[in-house]
Amino acid sequence: MDGAPLIEVNAEAPATYSRISWVLALVAAAGFALLLGGLVQSSLRANAARDNAAAWQLHTYQVMLTAERLQSAVFDAQRSRRGYVINDGRDLALLIPYRAAVAKVPGLIRELRRLTADSPDQQQRITTLDALIAPQLRRMADLSTATRQKATVGNDGSTSAGEVNINQIRAAVARIVDTEQGLLRARNDRVREADAEVKAASRSLSFSGLALLVIALVTGSFAVNALLRARRAAQDAAEAVQARIALEVAVNARTAEIAASNTALRQEIAAKQAAEAQIRQMQKLESIGQLTGGIAHDFNNMLSIIIGSLDLAVRRLNEPDGRVRKYIDNATDGAKRAAALTARLLAFSRQQALAPEPIDANVFVGNISELLRRTLGEGIKIETVLAGGLWRTYADAGELENAVVNLAVNARDAMEGSGRLTIETANTHLDDAYARDHADVTPGQYVVVCVTDTGGGMPAEVIEKAFDPFFTTKSVGKGTGLGLSQVYGFVKQSGGHVKIYSEAGKGTTVKLYMPRWTGADATPRELLPTAAMPVAVDGEIIVVVEDEERVRLVTVDALRDLGYQVVHAGDGREALTLLATMDRVDLLFTDIVMPNMNGRELADAARFHREGIKVLYTTGYTRNAVVHNGMLDADVAFLPKPFTVQALALKVRQVLDGGGVNRRV
């Protein structure tokens, strides 16, 4: 065979193989590029569908929230007007929330129509709701008729004087909300479906990237083989691999952006739901506070009669065996307990008259520690941790003491009479971030009084209800459920904030954040000893003005029993007539809430004719002419109802001797 090779080597084979390799590589790259482009478009469409579904979901929340606000505005108008009617139109301050609520209604109805413009059925329901509300608001606007004819509430929520039919409006709002709830469920399903589509698109992109990488490795091997035959083919293959890697990075980046957008949307929805829950809780506490404040006002007048009469009976009693005195003492004790309960109701409703003053919390805690040691018993070890450089705060010292004592007594009960109670003070700053999470907090500087116990702690569901009035975890007869409510109302009325930190089995910490005071120090006042019963000096004459006859007569008897000469009147006009005929008047003792002319107006008129006349105010209701934002005016001498004869004697003597201004007994 002459030694010739069996197979002839083709010199063109390497170039041909290189061209085939490049053709295969280009075809594969183009196919997968098209596939990847399609998957990217699919992912973008899925994300757009997800964003659209989420937008409609938020739209549904807006419709439901606007409907609830409309219902609340109508109910607020009705409650405020009803309070005005019950008060016979004497307290114009009750019309402020009524008018504010009525002013909101048209805008809320327009907002509902705008939000539901895409739903003819909802538009019809809103028209029906508007037809229910409009005539009721017109009837409520007739305040002169309402004060002449007091309404009586019917079983369906309507009244004989044309009050809003609560059940019809509530049913109309419920139909709107129920429809939106149905839409919300459908839209929630659409959001979940869109999420599934986005996840599926992301998985497809990931699988395509992996497949693309595998193809890149295969074509790379062809390119390496071709490089042995043609350097140019290898270089081109390397550039193709780099292009595909860059594309994969871009796809991954877009996938990460989509995931971040979904996370942000879920966080926004969660924050909105939390804010709505806080608003509902605040509205609930405000409604309860308005109710308790009105009840406490009437109780204080009745208790003034009872306590004053019992005090006078004791002073005039001369009974050998002491049994009658014992019965009177028992009745007096019951009346004082009822007065304390009424004071707690007023504290929760933020309607007590506070007499604030600058307070050094370190000195305050030091003074109260000894009282707590005697009150809590030997089984409780009390520790104090006082901060250096502590700011001053501005509060009613007596109410702050009541608040800390309430917390300490609760702590003792939680520790079952044995444990460690720690009272701390500190300076702190509540920033904007904290205020965003707590709707009732104003950012700024605060002085903190912190009470910590080593008891069993409270679970989250108990903490949530802890400040509700009459809520208690104690057994029957062991507590009224008003201690923490009183603390909450006092702190809020003082412009502060209260927070509970607790875990079951790890104790409880309650922090009172009181606003920082940067003004001048308080001027020390000379106070009469509380055990004293000062009497009249040199035939002093007092004019008593009170529209409640029984309260007036008891007060007159008590002052005369103390040696004062007393002239009395049933209203401001009668009092001015008396003052015009009298040569000497040492003190004007007047109720504040009276028909025709309130106590402040009477005092101003009296001072116009008798410059320098001394005035002592009294009332059982704090939303009046001498209390603003829960604080007594600076030039006011005040004695809250109900009061004992001793408290009356002390306060009258203080005012006549030139003191007692802006100070409660």
Side-chain angles (χ1 to χ4, degrees):
M1 296 294 297
D2 297 329
L6 297 176
I7 301 175
E8 184 177 356
V9 177
N10 187 353
E12 297 295 328
T16 302
Y17 182 76
S18 177
R19 286 193 295 271
I20 293 173
S21 298
W22 278 111
V23 169
L24 291 175
L26 290 174
V27 170
F32 274 94
L34 291 173
L35 175 60
L36 193 58
L39 291 174
V40 170
Q41 289 296 324
S42 176
S43 177
L44 292 175
R45 286 194 297 272
N47 187 64
R50 170 65 175 83
D51 291 344
N52 182 62
W56 278 108
Q57 186 182 48
L58 287 176
H59 177 271
T60 303
Y61 281 120
Q62 290 173 345
V63 174
M64 291 191 292
L65 183 59
T66 303
E68 295 288 348
R69 287 175 176 167
L70 174 60
Q71 178 176 279
S72 296
V74 175
F75 291 176
D76 288 345
Q78 184 223 15
R79 282 193 296 268
S80 300
R81 177 184 179 274
R82 182 172 297 166
Y84 176 80
V85 170
I86 292 174
N87 202 30
D88 290 331
R90 293 194 297 268
D91 193 350
L92 295 179
L94 292 173
L95 291 181
I96 295 175
Y98 159 74
R99 288 169 179 157
V102 169
K104 294 178 184 178
V105 171
L108 291 172
I109 290 177
R110 287 194 299 272
E111 180 65 7
L112 267 181
R113 291 189 184 280
R114 184 187 68 80
L115 290 172
T116 60
D118 60 309
S119 174
D121 291 340
Q122 286 290 65
Q123 290 283 301
Q124 181 59 42
R125 294 185 183 96
I126 293 169
T127 299
T128 301
L129 177 60
D130 190 14
L132 287 171
I133 292 175
Q136 302 297 354
L137 292 183
R138 288 195 296 271
R139 284 195 289 272
M140 281 198 292
D142 189 0
L143 297 174
S144 60
T145 302
T147 57
R148 292 194 301 268
Q149 297 179 352
K150 291 187 177 180
T152 56
V153 179
N155 293 329
D156 62 347
S158 65
T159 67
S160 60
E163 289 281 2
V164 177
N165 189 320
I166 301 303
N167 290 336
Q168 288 184 355
I169 292 177
R170 182 181 289 114
V173 172
R175 285 192 291 271
I176 295 173
V177 172
D178 289 344
T179 300
E180 291 299 323
Q181 289 283 6
L183 292 174
L184 180 61
R185 288 191 291 272
R187 288 165 181 171
N188 286 339
D189 292 339
R190 180 57 191 140
V191 169
R192 286 191 289 272
E193 291 171 1
D195 279 335
E197 291 175 6
V198 170
K199 291 178 181 178
S202 298
R203 286 196 297 271
S204 297
L205 285 174
S206 299
F207 291 148
S208 298
L210 180 61
L212 190 60
L213 182 60
V214 172
I215 295 300
L217 293 175
V218 173
T219 55
S221 66
F222 280 105
V224 170
N225 191 22
L227 182 61
L228 297 174
R229 295 135 192 253
R231 182 176 295 275
R232 180 60 184 172
Q235 291 175 349
D236 291 343
E239 291 173 359
V241 170
Q242 291 177 358
R244 284 191 292 273
I245 292 174
L247 180 59
E248 182 179 357
V249 170
V251 171
N252 289 338
R254 178 55 182 164
T255 302
E257 290 177 5
I258 293 172
S261 176
N262 291 339
T263 300
L265 182 59
R266 286 192 291 269
Q267 291 174 348
E268 181 180 350
I269 292 174
K272 182 178 180 63
Q273 291 172 341
E276 290 174 353
Q278 283 189 358
I279 291 172
R280 286 194 295 271
Q281 178 69 5
M282 291 171 61
Q283 289 175 338
K284 179 186 74 173
L285 293 178
E286 182 67 24
S287 298
I288 297 174
Q290 291 177 357
L291 173 63
T292 56
I295 294 173
H297 171 220
D298 293 336
F299 277 7
N300 277 333
N301 268 339
M302 292 184 286
L303 290 170
S304 294
I305 300 169
I306 296 170
I307 292 175
S309 299
L310 291 172
D311 277 354
L312 290 174
V314 169
R315 287 174 60 83
R316 299 177 183 180
L317 180 66
N318 184 15
E319 199 262 334
D321 61 9
R323 286 178 297 177
V324 175
R325 176 63 180 266
K326 177 181 177 182
Y327 301 149
I328 293 177
D329 288 345
N330 288 339
T332 303
D333 181 66
K336 288 180 178 179
R337 290 173 63 186
L341 178 62
T342 305
R344 290 190 172 192
L345 290 172
L346 284 173
F348 168 72
S349 61
R350 306 183 213 176
Q351 295 180 21
Q352 59 182 336
L354 298 180
E357 58 185 296
I359 295 175
D360 184 329
N362 282 345
V363 175
F364 168 80
V365 171
N367 292 339
I368 202 174
S369 297
E370 185 58 34
L371 169 64
L372 292 178
R373 288 187 175 91
R374 294 194 303 268
T375 302
L376 302 182
E378 298 180 355
I380 304 299
K381 181 181 179 182
I382 300 177
E383 297 180 356
T384 58
V385 181
L386 306 180
L390 189 69
W391 301 325
R392 290 168 302 164
T393 186
Y394 191 64
D396 188 307
E399 292 302 323
L400 181 58
E401 178 178 309
N402 288 339
V404 175
V405 169
N406 270 325
L407 295 178
V409 170
N410 280 351
R412 178 198 63 190
D413 295 342
M415 294 184 289
E416 298 181 351
S418 177
R420 184 175 68 256
L421 179 71
T422 304
I423 305 177
E424 302 177 61
T425 61
N427 297 329
T428 192
H429 180 269
L430 300 182
D431 57 18
D432 293 334
Y434 187 89
R436 280 195 298 270
D437 294 334
H438 300 79
D440 57 341
V441 173
T442 301
Q445 294 177 326
Y446 292 84
V447 175
V448 184
V449 179
C450 177
V451 179
T452 302
D453 64 61
T454 56
M458 292 186 283
E461 60 270 16
V462 172
I463 294 177
E464 184 179 351
K465 300 179 181 179
F467 295 125
D468 289 359
F470 303 109
F471 174 78
T472 180
T473 58
K474 299 176 183 178
S475 58
V476 176
K478 298 295 185 181
T480 62
L482 285 173
L484 286 178
S485 302
Q486 181 181 10
V487 173
Y488 176 86
F490 159 67
V491 173
K492 291 300 179 184
Q493 188 175 347
S494 301
H497 172 58
V498 58
K499 185 73 172 178
I500 299 176
Y501 301 89
S502 182
E503 292 184 33
K506 295 185 178 180
T508 299
T509 295
V510 182
K511 292 186 177 182
L512 307 182
Y513 295 85
M514 305 301 294
R516 180 185 180 183
W517 170 253
T518 57
D521 291 333
T523 302
R525 294 181 173 88
E526 292 292 333
L527 298 178
L528 293 172
T530 56
M533 184 70 78
V535 295
V537 177
D538 190 27
E540 291 162 317
I541 300 175
I542 300 176
V543 175
V544 175
V545 187
E546 168 65 64
D547 62 313
E548 177 64 45
E549 181 180 7
R550 288 171 295 181
V551 177
R552 183 175 71 251
L553 295 179
V554 169
T555 304
V556 169
D557 286 347
L559 289 171
R560 287 174 177 169
D561 205 48
L562 293 169
Y564 296 98
Q565 297 182 40
V566 183
V567 178
H568 58 93
D571 58 38
R573 294 174 181 172
E574 183 182 352
L576 289 176
T577 302
L578 287 174
L579 289 170
T581 63
M582 298 175 66
D583 295 329
R584 173 183 175 181
V585 176
D586 295 285
L587 176 68
L588 173 63
F589 181 34
T590 177
D591 189 18
I592 298 173
V593 181
M594 296 186 297
N596 301 322
M597 178 185 295
N598 65 43
R600 190 57 181 261
E601 294 169 341
L602 169 61
D604 291 341
R607 287 191 176 110
F608 181 78
H609 297 289
R610 290 178 177 269
E611 185 176 356
I613 186 174
K614 295 177 180 179
V615 180
L616 174 59
Y617 296 98
T618 184
T619 187
Y621 189 61
T622 62
R623 290 187 176 178
N624 53 55
V626 301
V627 180
H628 297 90
N629 297 322
M631 307 296 178
L632 285 172
D633 292 346
D635 60 343
V636 165
F638 179 71
L639 179 64
K641 295 179 182 178
F643 49 80
T644 63
V645 173
Q646 183 182 26
L648 176 64
L650 286 169
K651 195 64 182 182
V652 168
R653 193 71 263 158
Q654 285 176 354
V655 176
L656 288 172
D657 292 343
V661 174
N662 198 10
R663 170 78 68 169
R664 298 183 305 163
V665 173

